[in-house]
Amino acid sequence: MLSENACIHCGADSGKNPTLWKELIFCCNGCQQVYRLLNEHKLQQYYTLAKVPGIKAEENSYKGKYAFLDKEEVKNKLFEFNENNLAKLSFYIPVIHCISCIWLLEHLNKLQNGIKQSSVNFAKKTCTITFNTEEVSLRQVVELLVSIHYIPDISLQVLDKKNKKQSNALIYKIGIAGFISGNVMLFSLPLYFNGKPFEGSLGIFFSYISYLFTLPLVFYCGSDYLISAWKAIRKKIINIDLPIALGILTLFAVTTYEVLSETGQGYSDSLSGLLFFLLLGKWYQGKTYEALSFERDYKSYFPIAVTKITDNVEENILLKEIQVNDLLLIRNKELIPADATLVEGIALIDYSFVSGESTPIRKQAGETLYAGGIQLQGAITIKVVREVNQSHLTQLWNQSETKQQSSKPLLPIIDSISVYFTLVIISVAIAGFIYWWMQGQFHLAVMVFTSVLIVTCPCALALSMPFTLGNAMRMLGLQGVYLKNTLIIEKLCKIDTLVFDKTGTITLPDQNNISYSGRALTDEEIAAVVSLARQSTHPLSQALSKYYLETATVAVHGFVEISGKGSFALVNDQRVRLGSASYLGIEHIENGDTSTKVHIELDHNYCGYFTIGNKYRKGFLEVIANLKDNFKLYLLSGDNASEKELLKAYFDEDALKFEQMPQDKMDFIQNLQENGHNVLMAGDGLNDAGAFMQSNVAVSVADDIYHFSPAGDIIIEAGKFHLIYKIIRFSRQSLNIVKISIAISFLYNILGLIYALSGKMSPVVAAILMPVSSVSVVAFAIFGTNLLAKWTLNKK
């Protein structure tokens, strides 16, 4: 409960002369200004998400402090993206501490016109902001953050070194704690060997020397625990550092009393050993988690491939092979993998993947193109000007706003567990202290109290889920299955219906039987047709491109593609159209022939068609056999029903839908969901973007070139298509490992609690066991998913 004199915003004591506004009490004008700002913009919900969620707003003037942000060279260093009056950048904001901080920072657009979007990474304490540079400047954005006291760290030199400095600071503290612990324990050798400390003036001298050593030990080496606990108490929050801080202060307080009153030796040796092993355990945890980390590996092998042009020869290469000055071919709807300049062609770039704005931007030769943009108008040639940052592209995919549910609802659950867990532990520690004190064993009571506080820790509870699911995502990646984020694993567990696209998904786009029917085409006309087909990523267009791989292509202008129907362009001043009979308006020509065709029209004159025979992917029969007994299966195809009789052997007849337009596919999936089904859609993600967006989980099947589709939740290598059933089963079993990890964590804490209450565990041993228990639970989660992957994904 807050006191009557507590600040409405931050909860601090408002003193004898509080600041008032509308009969509300504030500790200072800064807090009053923040409260009024939120009130004026109707953001009072901020105060309902946590008790006194606000950070105390100091009244230091910042006017003029951020004038340097108006300089162009500073902006260029900070901006991750700056195009068409839209800029995007990320700030490290160390004071982010609870879900109310997240809520407020993600509603900055209501506080300032011109801010389009803001999102928070709670774990890294970063806020990514997209804003209109004509409506609001970088300086104004920063001053807004400062005004609500979420002060960003914008030191250009310090940002990249922050983690290193923090790591070095911990090493220094461990070194000092180790030095002090060694010396204090040396002074206590008589007690260890004889059971009695030095007596007389020598004993008093050593107790004072040991006590003086504990001062820097507690207030420097243990400062992180003490400061964290103090901040939590000021905010009326209970965090996991509070029990540790209580244990440290209890030993220090009793030691201070006994040494200064000369009634005893105190607990300088136990205190020094406790802090040394706590800090060592903290370092050990960090190194272990770093070694087990899935994020770095996941980002390093993500297989986005591009087409490189060398001496007019095209080759597919992975991102890691791209170098500055390389020429790359970017087709219609493909992603720009690195910052580059446009060399050839007309670019129409969709930057919604980067900035959230979907209005395409037209670019001419020589202009800059940013990584993450998607080309919407035919093929272009670009020249790489900056090294590829594969992690940046992966991060964009992870953060893209494609129907994914936010992970933030997990935060209150973790916070709640920590709060109740900590309250229970403190209560048990007090009860243990009282029991042993009443038994006349004060020293044992202190040891029990401290040991209980130290040995129990809810860290493993909070870490088991992200590490288990994160490692599961990594193991899937090693199998050629790439997930947008760990939430997709949870969604896969609920899937009961699978919908497949046909062309390029269950059929092989590069193993087709192709024949031509119609009037003979000249070499120039074939070159025009192939040049148009080369612009598209549609599987039938790609099949034609590969069939005529040796044909020299020519410049294409005015490329237009209608998803699921066909494409059009001017090639050598000749109007060329490729596509379905309905697109060309020639349905009568087919005369009941239901084979897959690509029709050709040159300058409004119909020429003929290519017949493309399909070959189904290896493992297709296995996939259907494994899935059919457990899921409802559907096939949606934009092609005609020429292969319906063949497919009836694998699908129920009412589950086969042909001549489906993109909107038809989207409506069909929506209808399934309205009937209570959770739907997985497997397709290419480019020509079925609407259906992908509508589905619960979208799987993009990729062949030689991994078309990077933001609409997809999963990208699967075509050769791993047969793993779909195993992927779903592996996801379900991964959640079982999470449950087991949590159960192990509870068991660890219960056993540690019982042993500590018995008085047989010293605080030093508790300090060793705490990180060991957390690391062992996380290690179980990691190695458990490794074994599960071996049994489930690799098993024949």
Side-chain angles (χ1 to χ4, degrees):
M1 296 294 292
L2 295 176
S3 67
E4 295 181 358
N5 202 42
C7 176
I8 295 295
H9 174 71
C10 72
D13 189 345
S14 298
K16 297 180 179 179
N17 299 301
T19 301
L20 301 176
W21 181 71
K22 291 187 176 180
E23 299 182 354
L24 298 175
I25 297 175
F26 301 91
C27 63
C28 63
N29 287 324
C31 287
Q32 180 208 31
Q33 290 169 5
V34 175
Y35 186 93
R36 291 181 64 177
L37 181 64
L38 300 180
N39 186 70
E40 289 167 4
H41 290 85
K42 298 181 180 179
L43 295 177
Q44 299 94 328
Q45 185 183 349
Y46 171 70
Y47 294 98
T48 68
L49 298 173
K51 295 180 179 179
V52 290
I55 304 296
K56 180 175 175 61
E58 306 293 344
E59 297 179 80
N60 297 332
S61 174
Y62 57 84
K63 299 299 181 183
K65 180 179 179 180
Y66 297 102
F68 71 96
L69 294 175
D70 291 329
K71 295 181 179 181
E72 288 300 320
E73 60 268 27
V74 176
K75 294 179 183 178
N76 292 336
K77 289 182 179 180
L78 288 174
F79 286 155
E80 299 170 2
F81 173 84
N82 184 19
E83 185 69 71
N84 202 33
N85 299 323
L86 272 180
K88 180 178 181 180
L89 76 170
S90 297
F91 290 122
Y92 172 67
I93 303 178
V95 295
I96 296 174
H97 72 288
C98 67
I99 194 170
S100 57
C101 297
I102 296 172
W103 185 88
L104 179 57
L105 289 171
E106 294 196 341
H107 285 79
L108 291 177
N109 60 314
K110 294 186 178 181
L111 296 176
Q112 176 68 60
N113 292 331
I115 294 180
K116 301 298 182 182
Q117 187 181 21
S118 54
S119 60
V120 173
N121 184 320
F122 183 77
K124 296 182 179 180
K125 297 186 183 296
T126 59
C127 181
T128 301
I129 302 172
T130 304
F131 61 96
N132 189 313
T133 54
E134 283 194 335
E135 297 180 42
V136 60
S137 68
L138 170 59
R139 177 180 174 180
Q140 288 174 313
V141 171
V142 171
E143 289 181 348
L144 170 66
L145 291 171
V146 174
S147 72
I148 56 176
H149 209 68
Y150 287 95
I151 303 172
D153 183 346
I154 52 176
S155 170
L156 299 177
Q157 296 179 346
V158 172
L159 281 175
D160 293 335
K161 300 179 181 178
K162 185 186 299 97
N163 293 333
K164 185 176 180 180
K165 287 190 174 183
Q166 290 175 345
S167 176
N168 288 341
L170 179 59
I171 295 296
Y172 296 150
K173 290 179 180 180
I174 292 173
I176 293 171
F179 171 79
I180 293 174
S181 178
N183 281 278
V184 170
M185 289 184 178
L186 182 64
F187 300 148
S188 303
L189 285 179
L191 176 63
Y192 299 151
F193 289 107
N194 299 324
K196 294 181 180 181
F198 284 113
E199 298 179 351
S201 58
L202 186 61
I204 295 174
F205 173 75
F206 277 127
S207 65
Y208 272 102
I209 291 294
S210 298
Y211 175 70
L212 291 175
F213 270 125
T214 64
L215 294 176
L217 181 76
V218 171
F219 297 107
Y220 172 68
C221 299
S223 60
D224 290 341
Y225 298 107
L226 301 180
I227 292 172
S228 175
W230 172 244
K231 287 182 177 179
I233 292 172
R234 286 189 63 189
K235 300 297 178 187
K236 306 298 187 292
I237 299 170
I238 298 177
N239 64 9
I240 61 175
D241 286 333
L242 182 59
I244 297 174
L246 283 175
I248 293 171
L249 291 176
T250 299
L251 287 178
F252 180 72
V254 175
T255 300
T256 301
Y257 172 77
E258 291 191 357
V259 170
L260 297 182
S261 65
E262 298 182 3
T263 58
Q265 298 289 318
Y267 302 93
S268 297
D269 56 338
S270 296
L271 182 57
S272 60
L274 167 64
L275 267 167
F276 173 66
F277 284 110
L278 277 176
L279 293 171
L280 195 63
K282 187 176 183 179
W283 174 84
Y284 169 66
Q285 281 179 306
K287 286 297 181 182
T288 304
Y289 297 158
E290 182 181 343
L292 298 174
S293 175
F294 56 86
E295 184 177 21
R296 181 187 64 253
D297 293 337
Y298 167 59
K299 290 179 177 179
S300 65
Y301 59 63
F302 191 81
I304 312 168
V306 294
T307 302
K308 179 182 176 182
I309 302 175
T310 307
D311 297 328
N312 294 321
V313 177
E314 298 177 8
E315 61 173 326
N316 294 332
I317 63 172
L318 293 176
L319 280 190
K320 63 183 179 181
E321 300 171 3
I322 296 175
Q323 298 179 0
V324 174
N325 294 324
D326 279 353
L327 293 179
L328 306 178
L329 176 69
I330 307 297
R331 296 181 178 84
N332 184 51
K333 295 184 180 179
E334 285 189 339
L335 181 106
I336 297 171
D339 291 350
T341 56
L342 180 61
V343 175
E344 183 181 342
I346 298 176
L348 188 65
I349 308 297
D350 176 4
Y351 280 119
S352 60
F353 189 38
V354 182
S355 66
E357 290 292 321
S358 58
T359 304
I361 300 172
R362 189 171 295 275
K363 292 287 186 176
Q364 302 295 331
E367 293 190 299
T368 299
L369 305 177
Y370 286 96
I374 297 173
Q375 165 67 348
L376 298 180
Q377 185 169 317
I380 57 175
T381 303
I382 65 173
K383 184 177 182 180
V384 177
V385 297
R386 188 176 297 175
E387 291 182 0
V388 174
N389 186 340
Q390 193 162 345
S391 296
H392 172 64
L393 293 176
T394 309
Q395 186 179 26
L396 287 176
W397 188 43
N398 290 339
Q399 294 178 349
S400 59
E401 299 294 328
T402 55
K403 76 183 183 331
Q404 75 180 62
Q405 297 294 324
S406 170
S407 61
K408 291 170 198 117
L410 292 175
L411 288 172
I413 297 174
I414 295 173
D415 287 343
S416 297
I417 290 176
S418 298
V419 167
Y420 292 118
F421 189 97
T422 304
L423 284 174
V424 169
I425 294 308
I426 292 174
S427 300
V428 171
I430 293 172
F433 175 83
I434 293 173
Y435 172 80
W436 287 108
W437 189 19
M438 294 181 67
Q439 298 297 315
Q441 301 189 51
F442 176 76
H443 283 266
L444 184 59
V446 172
M447 289 297 180
V448 167
F449 179 77
T450 307
S451 298
V452 168
L453 292 175
I454 301 301
V455 75
T456 50
C457 178
C459 294
L461 295 176
L463 292 172
S464 58
M465 178 172 286
F467 267 91
T468 302
L469 299 187
N471 193 58
M473 185 171 73
R474 187 179 73 88
M475 298 310 297
L476 288 170
L478 293 174
Q479 295 294 323
V481 181
Y482 306 93
L483 275 64
K484 175 178 288 186
N485 53 47
T486 56
L487 289 177
I488 305 305
I489 295 178
E490 297 180 66
K491 291 184 180 182
L492 281 171
C493 298
K494 301 176 183 178
I495 294 298
D496 57 28
T497 304
L498 283 83
V499 175
F500 296 95
D501 180 39
K502 182 170 80 73
T503 306
T505 303
I506 65 173
T507 62
L508 291 167
D510 57 349
Q511 296 185 27
N512 304 98
N513 299 315
I514 299 178
S515 61
Y516 174 71
S517 302
R519 76 164 177 83
L521 300 175
T522 66
D523 291 342
E524 290 78 10
E525 289 173 332
I526 291 176
V529 169
V530 174
S531 297
L532 176 57
R534 180 173 176 261
Q535 308 293 306
S536 173
T537 54
H538 192 280
L540 297 181
S541 294
Q542 289 295 295
L544 286 177
S545 297
K546 291 178 181 178
Y547 185 72
Y548 287 102
L549 189 61
E550 302 300 323
T551 301
T553 56
V554 292
V556 174
H557 302 282
F559 175 84
V560 175
E561 183 170 30
I562 299 176
S563 183
K565 294 186 177 181
S567 57
F568 163 83
L570 288 174
V571 186
N572 280 344
D573 296 325
Q574 189 175 36
R575 295 176 179 272
V576 183
R577 283 209 298 170
L578 296 178
S580 65
S582 61
Y583 176 58
L584 272 62
I586 52 170
E587 292 94 332
H588 61 282
I589 293 180
E590 296 197 335
N591 294 323
D593 185 358
T594 57
S595 58
T596 300
K597 300 183 182 69
V598 176
H599 295 268
I600 306 168
E601 181 185 275
L602 300 175
D603 283 335
H604 303 294
N605 296 314
Y606 180 72
C607 299
Y609 58 85
F610 290 98
T611 302
I612 302 179
N614 291 316
K615 184 175 181 180
Y616 290 91
R617 292 190 185 278
K618 180 183 178 181
F620 171 61
L621 297 178
E622 178 188 349
V623 169
I624 299 303
N626 287 330
L627 293 173
K628 201 166 186 179
D629 294 335
N630 301 288
F631 302 92
K632 181 65 177 176
L633 306 182
Y634 293 92
L635 178 73
L636 304 182
S637 175
D639 297 338
N640 53 46
S642 59
E643 300 185 13
K644 182 175 181 179
E645 292 302 316
L646 173 65
L647 292 169
K648 281 170 62 176
Y650 314 121
F651 295 88
D652 296 335
E653 186 170 359
D654 63 348
L656 296 170
K657 308 290 180 181
F658 296 96
E659 298 182 357
Q660 297 288 297
M661 293 296 100
Q663 185 63 46
D664 297 329
K665 296 178 182 180
M666 183 175 174
D667 293 341
F668 184 82
I669 291 176
Q670 184 175 3
N671 183 61
L672 289 174
Q673 292 170 329
E674 289 173 351
N675 288 318
H677 295 288
N678 286 286
V679 181
L680 180 149
M681 169 72 181
D684 59 21
L686 298 168
N687 302 296
D688 301 314
F692 261 43
M693 291 287 289
Q694 184 63 47
S695 63
N696 298 93
V697 176
V699 179
S700 179
V701 181
D703 282 281
D704 291 339
I705 297 176
Y706 300 96
H707 302 304
F708 193 79
S709 171
D713 299 309
I714 302 173
I715 296 177
I716 181 171
E717 294 179 12
K720 307 291 184 177
F721 178 74
H722 62 282
L723 290 177
I724 288 182
Y725 172 70
K726 292 182 178 181
I727 293 167
I728 297 175
R729 187 173 65 179
F730 175 70
S731 299
R732 292 176 175 175
Q733 292 172 343
S734 294
L735 284 186
N736 290 333
I737 290 182
V738 173
K739 297 174 183 176
I740 295 172
S741 299
I742 293 174
I744 292 174
S745 177
F746 271 115
L747 181 62
Y748 257 126
N749 282 290
I750 290 172
L751 293 177
L753 199 63
I754 294 172
Y755 194 54
L757 285 171
S758 69
K760 298 177 181 179
M761 180 185 294
S762 71
V764 175
V765 173
I768 296 173
L769 291 179
M770 185 187 72
V772 170
S773 64
S774 296
V775 167
S776 61
V777 170
V778 171
F780 168 80
I782 296 295
F783 295 118
T785 46
N786 286 349
L787 289 175
L788 180 62
K790 184 177 181 180
W791 293 335
T792 305
L793 299 176
N794 296 326
K795 190 176 180 180
K796 301 295 184 182

